[in-house]
Amino acid sequence: MSNQAAAAAPRLSTLDRWLPAWIGLAMVGGLALGRFVPVLADVLARLEVAGISLPIGLGLLVMMYPVLAKVRYDRLTAVTGDKRLLVSSLVLNWLVGPALMFVLAWVFLADLPEYRTGLIIVGLARCIAMVVIWNDLACGDREAAAVLVAINSVFQVVAFALLGWFYLTVLPGWLGLDTQGLDVSVGQIAVNVLVFLGVPLAAGFASRRIGERRRGRAWYEERFVPRIGPWALYGLLFTIVLLFALQGDAVTRHPLDVARIAVPLLAYFAVMWGVGLAAGRTLGLGYARSTTLAFTAAGNNFELAIAVAIGTFGATSGQALAGVVGPLIEVPVLVGLVYVSLWARRRWFSTDGAAPARAVQEVRS
């Protein structure tokens, strides 16, 4: 491991470092719970409001709030002077990413419409929160990453439902693709985005504003954020346990379907990261910002994808299962790409010493 990688490694907490294992255990626990406590499905059904089980809805909100409370909303204008970074990030996140996932979903899952739709929804949910960890580990530009995360968080409220309508109904119709009776309501998607992104986004913004005003930024970043941070994972694991308790029969009967969902996800993360890094290098952004561009393009907001899939199609749907498989694949792949980034710095950015040095210093601080 390089000195830079060793310096960056402590940034990843034990919870985050073992995230794939926790997700795997949550899946196994959920499957066992569904098998040995079959009454759970009836209990969750009786607690439904507008088609969403209240315990699952609570888990979704709990996992979204800490992510959005970490965003530095006051830095939205910090990188607007770098038009190359801003424009390329918007193009990769909102044009290339959704289009690539749409193609991969249809190529690999043309005969499995529910999983295909779930993957398309994952492609529409752009990076927030955890991408900052991968960016730090790879010695990227932390401030640029924070700004791009904030921009994506706000932009998703407006763009997600419209893009969902386009990629799930309009574009397949133009291309003559058989959606097999898929009925997607843009209004329903919009409502779920507003609830599961808008509400925690407003709460995250308010808590940062109030917390910094009353106690100061140092207290907020050093005391409050570390205290609430793990709850994002707790909420995610709680939701996964309940989902797999409801999905257990489908998973055990069709394990190869889960493997088929993983294949396009692997291709998606690798291609988006590679295109992002190559674009940054071509545009002369330097290593730190090229890496930031690559990880913010490759990462996805799987929390939002899961929430929208559950709210729109139900907790027992194939769309929800596809969303849950997302983080299981994304986390180890992006951790691996951190090391590829550090290797690429030595090979492709050998003359770009200043930016990596600043990034390493920030990680150490």
Side-chain angles (χ1 to χ4, degrees), residues 232-254:
L233 176 57
Y234 302 153
L236 174 63
L237 296 180
F238 174 77
T239 303
I240 288 174
V241 168
L242 294 184
L243 285 179
F244 272 77
L246 297 175
Q247 295 267 13
D249 185 57
V251 172
T252 54
R253 283 191 293 110
H254 305 288

Side-chain angles (χ1 to χ4, degrees), residues 192-237:
N192 287 310
V193 172
L194 287 174
V195 171
F196 293 111
L197 179 60
V199 171
L201 178 64
F205 176 83
S207 63
R208 176 171 283 278
R209 186 176 181 85
I210 294 172
E212 289 187 355
R213 181 172 294 179
R214 292 186 175 181
R215 304 292 295 273
R217 174 160 294 176
W219 173 86
Y220 189 89
E221 294 286 350
E222 298 170 11
R223 301 290 297 277
F224 183 73
V225 167
R227 188 173 299 171
I228 64 169
W231 283 93
L233 176 57
Y234 302 153
L236 174 63
L237 296 180

Side-chain angles (χ1 to χ4, degrees), residues 87-106:
V87 172
S88 57
S89 178
L90 290 174
V91 169
L92 286 173
N93 273 287
W94 298 102
L95 294 180
V96 177
L100 175 62
M101 189 67 91
F102 174 86
V103 171
L104 291 172
W106 274 98

Side-chain angles (χ1 to χ4, degrees), residues 6-251:
R11 296 289 302 175
L12 196 62
S13 69
T14 300
L15 284 174
D16 292 327
R17 186 163 53 248
W18 291 95
L19 182 56
W22 307 142
I23 292 174
L25 289 173
M27 290 177 173
V28 173
L31 292 174
L33 192 62
R35 182 175 181 84
F36 297 109
V37 190
V39 72
L40 179 64
D42 295 332
V43 173
L44 293 176
R46 286 198 295 269
L47 294 173
E48 281 189 0
V49 174
I52 302 176
S53 172
L54 289 179
I56 293 177
L58 178 62
L60 295 170
L61 290 173
V62 168
M63 77 179 179
M64 288 295 292
Y65 166 70
V67 169
L68 293 162
K70 294 179 182 180
V71 175
R72 296 286 295 271
Y73 298 96
D74 59 333
R75 293 181 176 172
L76 284 173
T77 60
V79 297
T80 53
D82 192 339
K83 301 298 183 184
R84 297 171 301 171
L85 175 64
L86 185 60
V87 172
S88 57
S89 178
L90 290 174
V91 169
L92 286 173
N93 273 287
W94 298 102
L95 294 180
V96 177
L100 175 62
M101 189 67 91
F102 174 86
V103 171
L104 291 172
W106 274 98
V107 168
F108 288 96
L109 299 170
D111 60 326
L112 297 172
E114 289 192 0
Y115 300 148
R116 184 184 67 229
T117 299
L119 276 190
I120 293 173
I121 290 174
V122 170
L124 299 176
R126 307 314 303 163
C127 67
I128 65 172
M130 279 200 75
V131 73
V132 176
I133 296 175
W134 317 134
N135 180 73
D136 266 10
L137 289 172
C139 302
D141 187 320
R142 185 183 298 172
E143 296 305 314
V147 172
L148 294 179
V149 163
I151 291 174
N152 280 324
S153 300
V154 175
F155 201 81
Q156 279 185 110
V157 177
V158 178
F160 192 102
L162 291 177
L163 287 174
W165 170 69
F166 176 75
Y167 279 104
L168 294 175
T169 61
V170 176
L171 185 57
W174 287 352
L175 298 176
L177 299 173
D178 181 13
T179 58
Q180 301 186 33
L182 178 64
D183 182 19
V184 180
S185 167
V186 64
Q188 190 176 12
I189 292 177
V191 168
N192 287 310
V193 172
L194 287 174
V195 171
F196 293 111
L197 179 60
V199 171
L201 178 64
F205 176 83
S207 63
R208 176 171 283 278
R209 186 176 181 85
I210 294 172
E212 289 187 355
R213 181 172 294 179
R214 292 186 175 181
R215 304 292 295 273
R217 174 160 294 176
W219 173 86
Y220 189 89
E221 294 286 350
E222 298 170 11
R223 301 290 297 277
F224 183 73
V225 167
R227 188 173 299 171
I228 64 169
W231 283 93
L233 176 57
Y234 302 153
L236 174 63
L237 296 180
F238 174 77
T239 303
I240 288 174
V241 168
L242 294 184
L243 285 179
F244 272 77
L246 297 175
Q247 295 267 13
D249 185 57
V251 172

Side-chain angles (χ1 to χ4, degrees), residues 27 104-105 107-109 111-112 115-116 119 244 250-269 318 321-322 324-326 328-329 333:
M27 290 177 173
L104 291 172
V107 168
F108 288 96
L109 299 170
D111 60 326
L112 297 172
Y115 300 148
R116 184 184 67 229
L119 276 190
F244 272 77
V251 172
T252 54
R253 283 191 293 110
H254 305 288
L256 289 180
D257 289 351
V258 176
R260 288 185 60 185
I261 294 170
V263 173
L265 284 169
L266 286 168
Y268 173 84
F269 296 134
L321 179 60
V324 170
V325 173
L328 184 64
I329 304 302
V333 170

